[in-house]
Amino acid sequence: MSVDQRLRTRATELFGVDYPIVQTGMGWVAGPSLVTGTAEAGGLGILASATMTIDEMDAAIGEVRSRTDQPFGVNLRPDAADLDDRADRLVEAGVRVASFAGPPPAPVVQRLRDGGVLVMPTVGARRHAEKMAELGADVILCQGGEGGGHTGSIPTSLLLPQVLDAVDVPVIAAGGFHDGRGLAAALAWGADGVAMGTRFLLTAESKVPDTVKAVYLGTPVTGTVVSSSIDGKPQRVIRTRLVESLESARVTRMVRAVANAWRFRGLTGMSMAAMLREGMAMRRSQGLTWSQMAMAANAPMLTRATMVDGDIDAGVLPTGQCVGVVDDLPTCAELIDRIVAEAVAALDRIAPARPS
């Protein structure tokens, strides 16, 4: 099937994919199944490696490679103690894109680009986009405040035009996108595509337990909250009793955070020395206080409790605000086909395609 030329952008050309649709690298969620489903459907799937050991990351990359020959990406933590090694592994594996939730170090950016890996950091402010473009980012993912997980306060409708005016590299819009009308709107703004997390979490290929997916599907648009009580940084999650208790009980929150940080260390195979090095790196790069450092490993464990273990009472549910308008669990192929059809219909309403 031929692709409508209006959906061909600088991003699709760089990524080597059919459609300007990115599935974000959600921790504990974006595994080989989801990434493969997205890639085979014509989008760019991003594998979440921040919650994996480096050997687990290698195995996951190998599994995706065995299931599809389409391009995909891997999400990396910019403050990971073994970031240099992980970057080398991506180069060796021929991964197409390395995405980052924060600013990656300049030497790592250079290493990835020299090795043929595109660098795509996420930003939530115009000045951050300018800095990332100066650093050499190939693509910038711009996330507005409607987005899930760690997010800023500027809505997409205000942030995206600012970022587009500030940089010349391709920009992927994120934060509130869930259908083809949103894709058409992003393209009309001047973006080169959209990225979605929550919408892909709620697909058949997502391995999130069905009981957890049901909670997402039952959440209204008013059912989310942006809280700094989980790991010290603003994060949008579904409002639950646990989140409310974390908001109100500081001492209990800190005890829980320290315990979860220790558990995360065990799961990732990280030594105490490596954990301290990583904590100090975060303190320097992000200006964290000592208490925020203690909470920094809290979020992965609270997210694992829900996304892996299915324990809604013991974990948090990161989400975009669009959760309130998502009501089904399609396959990745069904979702992307639907988004493309809706986008083409929306574009036809405002700018009909010219005969070839």
Side-chain angles (χ1 to χ4, degrees):
M1 182 178 67
S2 62
V3 177
D4 190 299
Q5 290 303 303
R6 292 171 297 178
L7 300 183
R8 293 288 191 187
T9 69
R10 291 180 297 173
T12 60
E13 296 304 312
L14 273 177
F15 298 152
V17 299
D18 289 336
Y19 306 118
I21 299 170
V22 176
Q23 161 254 304
T24 60
M26 300 164 280
W28 307 115
V29 176
S33 174
L34 185 56
V35 172
T36 301
T38 302
E40 284 290 285
L44 181 74
I46 304 289
L47 184 71
S49 82
T51 51
M52 300 175 182
T53 66
I54 193 167
D55 290 337
E56 289 171 340
M57 181 189 79
D58 285 344
I61 290 173
E63 184 175 346
V64 175
R65 277 266 182 260
S66 71
R67 298 170 64 174
T68 183
D69 59 0
Q70 298 302 309
F72 65 95
V74 175
N75 181 254
L76 300 174
R77 280 181 58 185
D79 51 11
D82 59 357
L83 180 58
D84 290 342
D85 291 338
R86 288 178 183 257
D88 288 341
R89 301 282 181 95
L90 264 59
V91 170
E92 292 167 7
V95 170
R96 188 64 184 137
V97 179
S99 72
F100 294 88
V108 172
V109 172
Q110 192 63 48
R111 171 72 181 104
L112 289 165
R113 297 189 71 203
D114 288 347
V117 181
L118 299 170
V119 175
M120 181 173 68
T122 297
V123 303
R126 174 179 178 144
R127 67 181 183 279
H128 297 158
E130 292 169 339
K131 290 179 180 178
M132 290 300 96
E134 291 171 2
L135 192 65
D138 298 284
V139 183
I140 289 175
L141 197 156
C142 160
Q143 179 175 306
E146 301 94 323
H150 294 111
T151 193
S153 59
I154 306 172
T156 303
S157 59
L158 299 178
L159 177 63
L160 180 58
Q162 290 183 357
V163 170
L164 289 166
D165 288 344
V167 301
D168 293 325
V169 299
V171 174
I172 302 296
F177 294 100
H178 59 92
D179 64 7
R181 292 173 298 180
L183 172 56
L187 295 176
W189 258 311
D192 292 272
V194 296
M196 300 180 291
T198 303
R199 178 61 275 197
F200 276 105
L201 183 155
L202 295 170
T203 57
E205 287 90 343
S206 163
K207 297 301 184 182
V208 171
D210 290 342
T211 52
V212 175
K213 288 180 178 178
V215 173
Y216 275 87
L217 292 175
T219 299
V221 290
T222 55
T224 72
V225 61
V226 176
S227 173
S228 296
S229 298
I230 298 164
D231 66 357
K233 295 179 288 185
Q235 182 173 181
R236 186 180 294 281
V237 295
I238 292 176
R239 186 188 297 276
T240 62
R241 286 193 298 271
L242 174 63
V243 172
E244 290 176 349
S245 70
L246 290 174
E247 293 259 281
S248 61
R250 184 178 179 186
V251 174
T252 302
R253 182 168 74 229
M254 282 303 301
V255 171
R256 185 193 298 266
V258 171
N260 277 333
W262 187 257
R263 290 177 60 213
F264 186 60
R265 181 202 67 82
L267 277 176
T268 57
M270 190 183 299
S271 68
M272 178 57 71
M275 191 172 183
L276 288 173
R277 285 196 303 271
E278 192 165 302
M280 292 303 295
M282 287 193 296
R283 180 173 167 81
R284 288 192 301 270
S285 65
Q286 301 176 33
L288 301 183
T289 64
W290 290 106
S291 61
Q292 287 173 326
M293 276 178 56
M295 294 172 69
N298 193 34
M301 294 312 302
L302 290 177
T303 305
R304 185 184 191 277
T306 50
M307 301 304 160
V308 178
D309 301 333
D311 191 343
I312 296 164
D313 295 327
V316 296
L317 301 155
T319 186
Q321 207 163 9
C322 71
V323 66
V325 294
V326 174
D327 59 7
D328 63 350
L329 298 170
T331 65
C332 289
E334 290 168 343
L335 174 62
I336 289 179
D337 285 349
R338 185 166 74 199
I339 289 173
V340 168
E342 291 170 348
V344 169
L347 292 171
D348 280 341
R349 287 194 295 272
I350 59 175
R354 296 177 180 177
S356 55

